[in-house]
Amino acid sequence: MQRTYRFKKFKFLQFTLLLLGAMVMMLPFWWMLLSSFKPAGELLQVPPTWFPKSFSLSNYEKVLEVMPFWHYLSNSVFIGVLNTFVGVLTSSLVGYVLAKYRFWGRKYVITIILVTMIIPYQVLMIPLFTIMMKIGWVDSYYVLTVPYFYNIFGIFLMRQFMLDVPNELIEAAKMDGCSHFRIFFTIVLPVVKPALATLSILLFMESWDSFLWPLISINSQEYMTLPIGLNSFLSEHFGRFDQLVTASVMSVLPMIIIFLIAQKSFIEGISLTGSK
């Protein structure tokens, strides 16, 4: 009885600490969201008000007038979806070959992949930028997509999952006359659906949040994604805190909506990645 009481007391204390931590973490976003509904005068008022005296959407209207938000958003969605689709496809193909086919040099290829994973991405940016500049892809959609079509971590993740696919399934399909690509698309990929969902989420988040590479490789507003467009907006409208706060909220909202829709897959993806 005493042990059960202590356990309940510990769980209550644990829940309270987690709730307080969540509230502290959410406070900056909550403050930013409420500030986006305040007029400029109230936003700079001292002492500050916790809630807007009167909710107004004028800040959103002003931002949409001066910032091509929908163009930036469509660029981010297009580039994110394309990078995710091609990245998952190439990672799955390479991972399948490394997991299920025996050929000379396979161990060396796996070793190179593992070694490459520990190299920081920032180190590769200068040679990558030089290559892109020589072939004329700087400041284009190519520079925002092609480098993301090949993902080292994705290959490693898919290989680890495909090692668990029974070889008997593949051998039986070969005896039935299935081609290599038919075996891959109709037998292997359905078995590793959780891994595909996990990798899709990770690659989409990586493409959506990418900032440094687009910042140094894109100059034209035509190719800017949402993070780069927001950075350009902040530089041009420095001092207009009402519009800056509102633009920040607008840039974060799409990812929050995606998270709320697919939060179950997000959590499962993180747990699956950790277990591997």
Side-chain angles (χ1 to χ4, degrees), residues 68-271:
F69 173 78
W70 299 114
H71 180 70
Y72 296 152
L73 180 64
S74 61
N75 274 347
S76 287
V77 172
F78 166 70
I79 293 168
V81 171
L82 181 63
N83 290 349
T84 302
F85 176 77
V86 181
V88 169
L89 182 63
T90 56
S91 299
S92 304
L93 278 168
V94 179
Y96 172 62
V97 171
L98 293 177
K100 295 299 178 184
Y101 285 86
R102 299 290 180 268
F103 55 90
W104 185 89
R106 188 175 73 102
K107 290 183 179 179
Y108 298 107
V109 175
I110 296 172
T111 304
I112 291 172
I113 288 174
L114 292 175
V115 171
T116 310
M117 284 178 64
I118 65 175
I119 300 176
Y121 182 67
Q122 290 78 3
V123 176
L124 305 174
M125 281 192 175
I126 293 177
L128 184 60
F129 182 80
T130 305
I131 294 171
M132 291 293 158
M133 192 168 59
K134 285 187 177 179
I135 58 179
W137 282 4
V138 172
D139 200 25
S140 71
Y141 283 119
Y142 295 113
V143 80
L144 296 174
T145 53
V146 176
Y148 292 88
F149 287 171
Y150 178 76
N151 189 280
I152 291 292
F153 173 75
I155 293 171
F156 174 74
L157 183 69
M158 294 310 299
R159 176 186 175 272
Q160 293 303 105
F161 274 95
M162 287 180 178
L163 285 174
D164 296 334
V165 177
N167 292 327
E168 291 77 10
L169 274 178
I170 299 173
E171 294 301 326
K174 286 180 180 176
M175 292 178 68
D176 289 341
C178 291
S179 64
H180 294 294
F181 282 104
R182 189 175 176 188
I183 293 172
F184 174 71
F185 284 108
T186 61
I187 296 176
V188 176
L189 287 188
V191 175
V192 294
K193 272 185 182 177
L196 294 176
T198 301
L199 185 60
S200 300
I201 291 169
L202 294 176
L203 292 185
F204 187 80
M205 287 176 61
E206 180 186 3
S207 177
W208 187 277
D209 295 335
S210 181
F211 179 77
L212 186 57
W213 174 245
L215 183 66
I216 64 176
S217 59
I218 291 297
N219 298 316
S220 304
Q221 195 177 57
E222 180 185 356
Y223 305 111
M224 286 184 179
T225 56
L226 206 48
I228 305 304
L230 177 63
N231 180 65
S232 173
F233 181 81
L234 297 179
S235 304
E236 294 172 2
H237 297 81
F238 185 77
R240 292 302 307 266
F241 296 109
D242 52 339
Q243 295 184 17
L244 297 181
V245 168
T246 306
S248 301
V249 172
M250 292 170 66
S251 66
V252 174
L253 277 181
M255 204 61 199
I256 292 178
I257 293 172
I258 293 173
F259 174 77
L260 292 177
I261 295 173
Q263 59 176 316
K264 185 179 178 183
S265 299
F266 269 92
I267 296 170
E268 287 179 355
I270 293 171
S271 61

